[in-house]
Amino acid sequence: MHEQPLLTETDVVITVAGDEVVGTRVSARGDELRSDAGRPCVVMAHGFGGTVDAGLLPFARGLAAAGLEVIAFDYRHFGRSGGEPRQVLSIERQLEDYRAVVEHARTLDGVDGDRIVLWGLSYSGGHVLRVAEQDGHIAAVVSLIPAVDGRAVARAARGAVDPRQLARLLRAAARDRLAQRRGRPRVEVPLCALPGRYGAMTAPGVFEAYTSIAGPTWRNRVAAGILLDYASYRPVTSAGRFDAPLLLQIADDDRTATPSAAAAAAKGRAEVRHYPCDHFDVFAGFPWHEAVCEDQVRFLQRHLAPEAAPAG
């Protein structure tokens, strides 16, 4: 038996609005998806407050082993990327980072710029819908356990969060916005916490799962102001407004991203897969990781085969 070559991982650094966006490029193994123009490339980022070293690389390596180039990056203000102050989640900046990494990927040697894939999970599972609509030339989209309707997620959270803790969070969010306007240090809250405790995400099992996948750059903190924007962010409205095929992977027992809201994104060329699991059960080391990865590989191999690639 011939040994498979090891995957090669290299740093990718690009500049966006004066700050560095840092990612990891995992080079493809095998030539099944290679064309004269190169291989397809997947651009991926994490969800709410996540970093590359908090569970993204197993997904990236699985796709690279199937013949795809992959760039997994940290948003500005998080992980290895630049940006001050830290732990600030700006929806517009995260969308800008996605677009910048896509444009960078199109310039890389060995990458077919006509076969760029957007990959997101949870909060970024909504980002990829918005970026696909904005870009107009994406080859395929993968949206895993997506949070695509902030209104639905906020409504569910209000019913599950202790009212006293919710009031504390909203006061912190208001103070953070005031600090931002006055140029003072931002007001942070825990990104996740046990049920009934003080934190932005407190569904059962979230704290244990998120902290179990966390890498050294991950911080259990986020600037509180994002809580005032969350409900108004509804990337589900971008569903059906782009031509690329979409793989929508929904956890039917998801207590973090509302499954019924995710299902509303099944428009256009969407293919939907359901899994009888909770939000974090799709990560490496949890029960449904292999199944969701296998479905992603089959979907992308089918839609990105060289003969299916659009003419350059």
Side-chain angles (χ1 to χ4, degrees):
M1 179 183 295
H2 297 290
E3 290 188 5
Q4 293 285 348
L6 295 176
L7 296 173
T8 301
E9 298 179 7
T10 55
D11 284 348
V12 172
V13 182
I14 63 175
T15 301
V16 181
D19 291 317
E20 288 186 343
V21 171
V22 180
T24 299
R25 179 180 179 179
V26 187
S27 296
R29 184 170 66 200
D31 292 324
E32 296 88 346
L33 295 175
R34 188 183 186 92
S35 68
D36 291 343
R39 296 184 177 93
C41 183
V42 178
V43 174
M44 66 165 58
H46 216 300
F48 193 81
T51 50
V52 169
D53 62 4
L56 274 197
L57 286 177
F59 291 106
R61 290 163 181 158
L63 294 173
L68 297 112
E69 297 288 323
V70 184
I71 299 175
F73 72 92
D74 285 326
Y75 304 111
R76 283 172 290 169
H77 307 281
F78 290 90
R80 296 198 297 153
S81 289
E84 293 291 342
R86 306 302 293 168
Q87 304 305 117
V88 172
L89 200 165
S90 163
I91 294 168
E92 289 305 316
R93 289 181 186 178
Q94 292 192 350
L95 295 174
E96 185 179 19
D97 292 346
Y98 253 112
R99 293 192 296 266
V101 178
V102 165
E103 289 306 315
H104 179 75
R106 288 181 169 134
T107 70
L108 294 175
D109 290 341
V111 168
D112 182 351
D114 287 327
R115 289 188 293 162
I116 300 296
V117 177
L118 293 173
W119 186 105
L121 87 167
S122 193
Y123 207 52
S124 66
H127 287 348
V128 293
L129 303 182
R130 186 59 51 84
V131 176
E133 179 189 8
Q134 294 168 340
D135 185 282
H137 299 287
I138 296 299
V141 180
V142 174
S143 182
L144 172 62
I145 53 170
V148 298
D149 188 340
R151 186 183 304 166
V153 173
R155 187 164 52 244
R158 280 197 298 271
V161 175
D162 183 299
R164 293 167 298 180
Q165 303 295 14
L166 179 60
R168 287 184 64 195
L169 289 168
L170 293 178
R171 288 196 296 270
R175 293 200 310 273
D176 182 48
R177 281 295 165 77
L178 182 61
Q180 180 184 9
R181 289 196 295 269
R182 294 180 174 177
R184 294 178 178 174
R186 302 295 293 268
V187 177
E188 296 180 347
V189 298
L191 184 64
C192 60
L194 294 169
R197 301 290 182 85
Y198 182 59
M201 301 168 64
T202 57
V206 166
F207 178 80
E208 296 90 341
Y210 214 157
T211 54
S212 74
I213 64 172
T217 72
W218 183 80
R219 300 289 180 268
N220 189 19
R221 310 292 295 176
V222 67
I226 183 59
L227 301 177
L228 299 179
D229 297 331
Y230 200 101
S232 63
Y233 183 50
R234 304 185 66 239
V236 66
T237 59
S238 292
R241 295 182 178 177
F242 51 86
D243 294 331
L246 163 67
L247 177 61
L248 195 62
Q249 296 179 289
I250 299 172
D252 289 334
D253 301 325
D254 200 324
R255 291 175 288 186
T256 300
T258 311
S260 59
K267 299 178 181 179
R269 298 177 64 189
E271 301 176 24
V272 183
R273 299 288 182 273
H274 290 269
Y275 308 90
C277 67
D278 201 352
H279 196 71
F280 283 87
D281 290 336
V282 302
F283 285 88
F286 289 83
W288 288 89
H289 179 72
E290 291 186 10
V292 300
C293 289
E294 288 170 0
D295 284 345
Q296 290 175 15
V297 167
R298 284 193 292 266
F299 169 82
L300 294 174
Q301 287 177 334
R302 187 168 72 252
H303 288 288
L304 299 174
E307 62 270 17

